Amino acid sequence: MEILTIDGAAMPTPDSYKVQLSDLDSSGTGRTEDGVLVRERVRGGVAKISLQWSALSTPECARVLNATAPDSFQVGYFFGQMRTAKMYAGDRTAELKAAREGQGVWAVEMNLIEF
């Protein structure tokens, strides 16, 4: 089973995969002078997926980085069941871990964040 697809294309299985769900509050959220919280939640359950691959080939690295380069893309991700969301990539890092005879091994990290 693929746990991660981007625009319908299966991505390599990550070595580390963490889904975080967050709430978004309005600008009116804050504390009063006496410390009471006034909260105006405008949206709940916004997904952020933290991903790490420790050993991708150069073509796999390119596939992951190219798939996450657009401003937005459709992500299928596993969180108890398959879900889909429009997302964008936060900072993406690719570190060359080894190179021999024109072949590279890459460690890649990124966050995918729901719109």
Side-chain angles (χ1 to χ4, degrees):
M1 173 181 84
E2 287 117 9
I3 64 168
L4 182 69
T5 62
I6 297 177
D7 286 336
M11 294 294 111
T13 301
D15 297 309
S16 176
Y17 178 92
K18 180 172 79 171
V19 178
Q20 174 182 328
L21 301 177
S22 300
D23 292 339
L24 299 179
D25 295 334
S26 76
S27 60
T29 295
R31 295 212 178 258
T32 62
E33 287 184 18
D34 60 352
V36 175
L37 177 67
V38 177
R39 184 171 190 211
E40 296 175 12
R41 184 172 79 168
V42 295
R43 192 165 156 215
V46 178
K48 174 181 167 183
I49 307 169
S50 299
L51 302 163
Q52 293 179 338
W53 293 267
S54 59
L56 293 179
S57 67
T58 298
E60 288 173 324
C61 178
R63 184 161 50 110
V64 170
L65 294 178
N66 290 334
T68 57
D71 290 342
S72 68
F73 38 85
Q74 195 71 19
V75 176
Y77 66 99
F78 182 76
F79 191 62
Q81 62 186 13
M82 287 305 290
R83 298 181 178 197
T84 58
K86 182 179 178 182
M87 295 188 159
Y88 66 95
D91 292 338
R92 302 174 300 150
T93 61
E95 179 182 355
L96 182 62
K97 296 301 232 174
R100 185 176 305 145
E101 299 175 11
Q103 301 296 318
V105 176
W106 297 86
V108 176
E109 294 183 27
M110 70 180 65
N111 292 318
L112 303 181
I113 304 154
E114 186 174 5
F115 269 80

Short mmCIF file of all heavy atoms in Angstrom, two decimals, residues 47-86:
data_model
loop_
_atom_site.label_atom_id
_atom_site.label_comp_id
_atom_site.label_asym_id
_atom_site.label_seq_id
_atom_site.Cartn_x
_atom_site.Cartn_y
_atom_site.Cartn_z
N ALA A 47 -3.88 19.59 8.30
CA ALA A 47 -2.81 18.59 8.33
C ALA A 47 -1.46 19.18 7.93
O ALA A 47 -1.35 20.00 7.03
CB ALA A 47 -3.14 17.43 7.39
N LYS A 48 -0.43 18.71 8.63
CA LYS A 48 0.97 18.95 8.28
C LYS A 48 1.65 17.59 8.35
O LYS A 48 1.57 16.90 9.37
CB LYS A 48 1.62 19.92 9.27
CG LYS A 48 3.11 20.10 9.05
CD LYS A 48 3.66 21.06 10.10
CE LYS A 48 5.14 21.07 10.17
NZ LYS A 48 5.64 21.94 11.24
N ILE A 49 2.31 17.21 7.27
CA ILE A 49 2.98 15.92 7.21
C ILE A 49 4.49 16.16 7.17
O ILE A 49 4.99 16.82 6.26
CB ILE A 49 2.56 15.11 5.97
CG1 ILE A 49 1.03 15.00 5.90
CG2 ILE A 49 3.20 13.73 6.00
CD1 ILE A 49 0.53 14.45 4.58
N SER A 50 5.20 15.66 8.17
CA SER A 50 6.66 15.76 8.23
C SER A 50 7.24 14.47 7.66
O SER A 50 6.90 13.38 8.14
CB SER A 50 7.14 15.97 9.66
OG SER A 50 6.62 17.17 10.18
N LEU A 51 8.09 14.60 6.65
CA LEU A 51 8.61 13.44 5.93
C LEU A 51 10.13 13.44 5.90
O LEU A 51 10.75 14.50 5.78
CB LEU A 51 8.12 13.47 4.47
CG LEU A 51 6.61 13.48 4.27
CD1 LEU A 51 6.27 13.92 2.86
CD2 LEU A 51 6.05 12.12 4.57
N GLN A 52 10.70 12.24 6.00
CA GLN A 52 12.15 12.07 5.86
C GLN A 52 12.42 10.78 5.09
O GLN A 52 11.81 9.75 5.37
CB GLN A 52 12.84 11.97 7.22
CG GLN A 52 12.80 13.21 8.04
CD GLN A 52 13.49 13.02 9.38
OE1 GLN A 52 13.64 11.90 9.87
NE2 GLN A 52 13.90 14.12 9.98
N TRP A 53 13.32 10.89 4.14
CA TRP A 53 13.85 9.73 3.43
C TRP A 53 15.35 9.73 3.69
O TRP A 53 16.01 10.75 3.53
CB TRP A 53 13.62 9.84 1.92
CG TRP A 53 12.19 9.76 1.48
CD1 TRP A 53 11.52 8.65 1.09
CD2 TRP A 53 11.26 10.85 1.33
NE1 TRP A 53 10.24 8.97 0.72
CE2 TRP A 53 10.05 10.33 0.86
CE3 TRP A 53 11.35 12.23 1.57
CZ2 TRP A 53 8.94 11.11 0.61
CZ3 TRP A 53 10.23 13.02 1.32
CH2 TRP A 53 9.05 12.46 0.85
N SER A 54 15.92 8.60 4.06
CA SER A 54 17.34 8.58 4.41
C SER A 54 18.23 8.11 3.27
O SER A 54 19.43 8.37 3.29
CB SER A 54 17.57 7.71 5.64
OG SER A 54 17.13 6.40 5.41
N ALA A 55 17.68 7.44 2.27
CA ALA A 55 18.54 6.90 1.21
C ALA A 55 17.77 6.79 -0.11
O ALA A 55 17.32 5.72 -0.50
CB ALA A 55 19.09 5.53 1.61
N LEU A 56 17.63 7.93 -0.79
CA LEU A 56 16.99 7.94 -2.10
C LEU A 56 18.05 7.98 -3.19
O LEU A 56 19.08 8.64 -3.05
CB LEU A 56 16.09 9.17 -2.26
CG LEU A 56 14.85 9.27 -1.38
CD1 LEU A 56 14.10 10.56 -1.67
CD2 LEU A 56 13.94 8.07 -1.57
N SER A 57 17.78 7.30 -4.28
CA SER A 57 18.65 7.41 -5.45
C SER A 57 18.45 8.80 -6.05
O SER A 57 17.50 9.52 -5.72
CB SER A 57 18.28 6.34 -6.48
OG SER A 57 16.98 6.61 -7.00
N THR A 58 19.34 9.18 -6.94
CA THR A 58 19.22 10.49 -7.59
C THR A 58 17.89 10.62 -8.34
O THR A 58 17.20 11.64 -8.19
CB THR A 58 20.42 10.76 -8.51
OG1 THR A 58 21.60 10.78 -7.69
CG2 THR A 58 20.30 12.09 -9.23
N PRO A 59 17.45 9.62 -9.12
CA PRO A 59 16.13 9.74 -9.78
C PRO A 59 14.97 9.83 -8.78
O PRO A 59 14.03 10.59 -9.01
CB PRO A 59 16.03 8.47 -10.64
CG PRO A 59 17.44 8.04 -10.85
CD PRO A 59 18.18 8.43 -9.60
N GLU A 60 15.02 9.06 -7.68
CA GLU A 60 13.96 9.15 -6.67
C GLU A 60 13.95 10.52 -6.01
O GLU A 60 12.88 11.10 -5.79
CB GLU A 60 14.15 8.07 -5.60
CG GLU A 60 13.85 6.67 -6.06
CD GLU A 60 14.22 5.64 -5.00
OE1 GLU A 60 15.23 5.82 -4.28
OE2 GLU A 60 13.49 4.64 -4.91
N CYS A 61 15.12 11.05 -5.70
CA CYS A 61 15.23 12.38 -5.10
C CYS A 61 14.62 13.42 -6.03
O CYS A 61 13.82 14.27 -5.61
CB CYS A 61 16.70 12.69 -4.80
SG CYS A 61 16.98 14.33 -4.11
N ALA A 62 14.98 13.35 -7.30
CA ALA A 62 14.44 14.28 -8.28
C ALA A 62 12.93 14.16 -8.39
O ALA A 62 12.22 15.17 -8.49
CB ALA A 62 15.09 14.05 -9.64
N ARG A 63 12.41 12.94 -8.35
CA ARG A 63 10.96 12.73 -8.45
C ARG A 63 10.23 13.38 -7.28
O ARG A 63 9.22 14.06 -7.46
CB ARG A 63 10.66 11.22 -8.49
CG ARG A 63 9.18 10.92 -8.68
CD ARG A 63 8.93 9.50 -9.17
NE ARG A 63 9.60 8.49 -8.41
CZ ARG A 63 8.99 7.61 -7.62
NH1 ARG A 63 7.68 7.66 -7.46
NH2 ARG A 63 9.68 6.70 -6.98
N VAL A 64 10.75 13.20 -6.06
CA VAL A 64 10.12 13.80 -4.87
C VAL A 64 10.21 15.32 -4.93
O VAL A 64 9.23 16.02 -4.70
CB VAL A 64 10.77 13.25 -3.58
CG1 VAL A 64 10.32 14.04 -2.37
CG2 VAL A 64 10.45 11.77 -3.40
N LEU A 65 11.39 15.85 -5.24
CA LEU A 65 11.56 17.31 -5.27
C LEU A 65 10.75 17.95 -6.39
O LEU A 65 10.15 19.02 -6.20
CB LEU A 65 13.04 17.67 -5.39
CG LEU A 65 13.90 17.30 -4.18
CD1 LEU A 65 15.36 17.65 -4.45
CD2 LEU A 65 13.41 17.96 -2.90
N ASN A 66 10.70 17.33 -7.56
CA ASN A 66 9.91 17.87 -8.66
C ASN A 66 8.41 17.82 -8.37
O ASN A 66 7.68 18.75 -8.71
CB ASN A 66 10.22 17.14 -9.97
CG ASN A 66 11.60 17.46 -10.49
OD1 ASN A 66 12.17 18.51 -10.21
ND2 ASN A 66 12.17 16.54 -11.27
N ALA A 67 7.96 16.76 -7.72
CA ALA A 67 6.53 16.64 -7.40
C ALA A 67 6.09 17.69 -6.40
O ALA A 67 4.92 18.12 -6.42
CB ALA A 67 6.24 15.23 -6.85
N THR A 68 6.99 18.13 -5.54
CA THR A 68 6.64 19.10 -4.49
C THR A 68 7.06 20.52 -4.84
O THR A 68 6.97 21.41 -4.00
CB THR A 68 7.27 18.69 -3.15
OG1 THR A 68 8.69 18.56 -3.30
CG2 THR A 68 6.68 17.37 -2.65
N ALA A 69 7.51 20.76 -6.07
CA ALA A 69 7.95 22.10 -6.49
C ALA A 69 6.80 23.07 -6.79
O ALA A 69 6.95 24.27 -6.55
CB ALA A 69 8.87 21.99 -7.70
N PRO A 70 5.65 22.63 -7.32
CA PRO A 70 4.59 23.59 -7.64
C PRO A 70 4.05 24.32 -6.39
O PRO A 70 4.25 23.86 -5.26
CB PRO A 70 3.49 22.73 -8.26
CG PRO A 70 4.18 21.50 -8.74
CD PRO A 70 5.30 21.27 -7.77
N ASP A 71 3.34 25.42 -6.64
CA ASP A 71 2.73 26.19 -5.55
C ASP A 71 1.75 25.36 -4.73
O ASP A 71 1.60 25.57 -3.53
CB ASP A 71 2.00 27.41 -6.09
CG ASP A 71 2.94 28.46 -6.64
OD1 ASP A 71 4.14 28.41 -6.31
OD2 ASP A 71 2.47 29.33 -7.39
N SER A 72 1.05 24.44 -5.39
CA SER A 72 0.11 23.56 -4.69
C SER A 72 -0.02 22.27 -5.48
O SER A 72 0.28 22.21 -6.68
CB SER A 72 -1.26 24.22 -4.54
OG SER A 72 -1.89 24.38 -5.80
N PHE A 73 -0.45 21.23 -4.77
CA PHE A 73 -0.62 19.92 -5.38
C PHE A 73 -1.57 19.11 -4.51
O PHE A 73 -1.78 19.42 -3.34
CB PHE A 73 0.73 19.19 -5.57
CG PHE A 73 1.70 19.40 -4.43
CD1 PHE A 73 1.65 18.61 -3.30
CD2 PHE A 73 2.65 20.42 -4.50
CE1 PHE A 73 2.54 18.82 -2.26
CE2 PHE A 73 3.54 20.64 -3.46
CZ PHE A 73 3.48 19.83 -2.34
N GLN A 74 -2.13 18.06 -5.09
CA GLN A 74 -3.06 17.18 -4.38
C GLN A 74 -2.26 16.05 -3.74
O GLN A 74 -1.49 15.36 -4.43
CB GLN A 74 -4.10 16.61 -5.36
CG GLN A 74 -5.29 16.00 -4.70
CD GLN A 74 -6.21 17.03 -4.07
OE1 GLN A 74 -6.16 18.21 -4.38
NE2 GLN A 74 -7.02 16.60 -3.15
N VAL A 75 -2.43 15.86 -2.44
CA VAL A 75 -1.69 14.83 -1.70
C VAL A 75 -2.67 13.79 -1.19
O VAL A 75 -3.69 14.12 -0.58
CB VAL A 75 -0.91 15.45 -0.51
CG1 VAL A 75 -0.24 14.37 0.31
CG2 VAL A 75 0.10 16.46 -1.02
N GLY A 76 -2.36 12.53 -1.46
CA GLY A 76 -3.05 11.42 -0.83
C GLY A 76 -2.13 10.91 0.27
O GLY A 76 -0.95 10.65 0.02
N TYR A 77 -2.65 10.82 1.49
CA TYR A 77 -1.80 10.40 2.61
C TYR A 77 -2.57 9.49 3.54
O TYR A 77 -3.79 9.56 3.66
CB TYR A 77 -1.23 11.61 3.36
CG TYR A 77 -2.25 12.47 4.08
CD1 TYR A 77 -2.46 12.33 5.45
CD2 TYR A 77 -2.99 13.42 3.40
CE1 TYR A 77 -3.39 13.11 6.11
CE2 TYR A 77 -3.92 14.20 4.05
CZ TYR A 77 -4.12 14.05 5.41
OH TYR A 77 -5.05 14.83 6.06
N PHE A 78 -1.83 8.62 4.21
CA PHE A 78 -2.43 7.66 5.13
C PHE A 78 -2.46 8.23 6.53
O PHE A 78 -1.45 8.70 7.06
CB PHE A 78 -1.63 6.35 5.13
CG PHE A 78 -2.23 5.31 6.02
CD1 PHE A 78 -3.36 4.62 5.63
CD2 PHE A 78 -1.67 5.03 7.25
CE1 PHE A 78 -3.93 3.67 6.46
CE2 PHE A 78 -2.23 4.07 8.09
CZ PHE A 78 -3.36 3.39 7.69
N PHE A 79 -3.66 8.22 7.12
CA PHE A 79 -3.83 8.61 8.52
C PHE A 79 -5.02 7.82 9.05
O PHE A 79 -6.13 8.32 9.18
CB PHE A 79 -4.05 10.12 8.64
CG PHE A 79 -3.98 10.64 10.06
CD1 PHE A 79 -2.81 10.52 10.79
CD2 PHE A 79 -5.07 11.23 10.66
CE1 PHE A 79 -2.73 10.99 12.09
CE2 PHE A 79 -5.00 11.71 11.95
CZ PHE A 79 -3.84 11.59 12.68
N GLY A 80 -4.78 6.52 9.27
CA GLY A 80 -5.84 5.59 9.66
C GLY A 80 -6.60 5.07 8.45
O GLY A 80 -7.06 3.95 8.43
N GLN A 81 -6.73 5.92 7.47
CA GLN A 81 -7.30 5.60 6.16
C GLN A 81 -6.68 6.59 5.19
O GLN A 81 -6.02 7.53 5.60
CB GLN A 81 -8.82 5.75 6.18
CG GLN A 81 -9.27 7.16 6.48
CD GLN A 81 -10.78 7.26 6.63
OE1 GLN A 81 -11.47 6.26 6.74
NE2 GLN A 81 -11.30 8.46 6.64
N MET A 82 -6.86 6.37 3.92
CA MET A 82 -6.32 7.32 2.94
C MET A 82 -7.18 8.59 2.95
O MET A 82 -8.40 8.52 2.94
CB MET A 82 -6.27 6.71 1.54
CG MET A 82 -5.18 5.67 1.38
SD MET A 82 -3.50 6.22 1.80
CE MET A 82 -3.15 7.36 0.48
N ARG A 83 -6.51 9.72 3.00
CA ARG A 83 -7.15 11.04 2.94
C ARG A 83 -6.52 11.81 1.79
O ARG A 83 -5.42 11.50 1.36
CB ARG A 83 -6.93 11.81 4.24
CG ARG A 83 -7.53 11.16 5.45
CD ARG A 83 -7.27 12.03 6.67
NE ARG A 83 -7.87 11.46 7.86
CZ ARG A 83 -8.09 12.13 8.97
NH1 ARG A 83 -7.76 13.40 9.05
NH2 ARG A 83 -8.64 11.55 10.00
N THR A 84 -7.20 12.84 1.34
CA THR A 84 -6.63 13.71 0.32
C THR A 84 -6.76 15.15 0.77
O THR A 84 -7.70 15.52 1.49
CB THR A 84 -7.33 13.55 -1.04
OG1 THR A 84 -8.71 13.84 -0.89
CG2 THR A 84 -7.14 12.16 -1.60
N ALA A 85 -5.79 15.98 0.36
CA ALA A 85 -5.81 17.40 0.71
C ALA A 85 -4.97 18.17 -0.29
O ALA A 85 -3.98 17.65 -0.83
CB ALA A 85 -5.27 17.61 2.12
N LYS A 86 -5.36 19.42 -0.52
CA LYS A 86 -4.54 20.33 -1.31
C LYS A 86 -3.45 20.85 -0.37
O LYS A 86 -3.75 21.35 0.72
CB LYS A 86 -5.39 21.48 -1.84
CG LYS A 86 -4.64 22.45 -2.69
CD LYS A 86 -5.57 23.55 -3.20
CE LYS A 86 -4.81 24.57 -4.02
NZ LYS A 86 -5.71 25.67 -4.47
#
